[in-house]
Structures are given as C-alpha cells and as structure tokens.
Amino acid sequence: PAHTTLAPRYKAAWLAVNRIVDRYGSPALIRFYLAAATTTDPSSSATSDPDGNVATAFRTVLRTSQAAFTKEWLSYLKSLAAR
C-alpha cells in the first residue's frame, strides 16, 4: 500500500488500541490480543480462524461485539476530529 493510505490506517488502528485501553484497561488489551491470536484449542492441529478468534475476543474479553465496538470507535474518532 502507498504511504498515503498506510499512515492513516495505522493511526486509526492505534486509536482503536488506545480506545480499548481507555475503556477496558491494559490487562484487557493483553487478554484481547491473546484471545485474538490463538486458537480455541492450542493443542489442535486445525487451522486457526482469525476472524472467528477476533469475534470471540470481542465477545468474551470486551463483552461487546465487533460491530458495536466499531460503531463506538467511529463516534470516538468523530469527537476527536471535532476538537
């Protein structure tokens, strides 16, 4: 990707991480990363489902859905832009 598209995406992702820390705390962010990055059964030889892992992490760690978090995060971004 071009630098002009990568930089804004990186910043937006960083703001999502900051939002998780602000709302749920650093320990929750670590638990979220661990849940999203691992299979349900680490001893299983089955291929991991990254999208499923992320959905599960939102549900079990942050107690929200990815869609609800994204909606709230977009609202947060708009509030930052309005400052």
Side-chain angles (χ1 to χ4, degrees):
H3 176 71
T4 57
T5 60
L6 186 60
R9 290 178 184 166
Y10 177 83
K11 289 176 185 175
W14 182 247
L15 287 170
V17 168
N18 282 340
R19 192 65 179 159
I20 290 173
V21 171
D22 287 348
R23 292 202 64 206
Y24 305 97
S26 296
L29 176 64
I30 294 167
R31 289 191 312 274
F32 180 84
Y33 272 131
L34 290 172
T38 59
T39 62
T40 305
D41 179 4
S43 65
S44 171
S45 61
T47 304
S48 178
D49 174 16
D51 291 335
N53 291 351
V54 170
T56 298
F58 272 106
R59 196 173 53 256
T60 61
V61 177
L62 303 183
R63 305 279 188 231
T64 190
S65 68
Q66 187 171 355
F69 177 84
T70 301
K71 183 178 178 181
E72 192 278 330
W73 170 70
L74 289 171
S75 176
Y76 170 69
L77 292 178
K78 288 177 186 175
S79 73
L80 290 177
R83 289 182 184 178

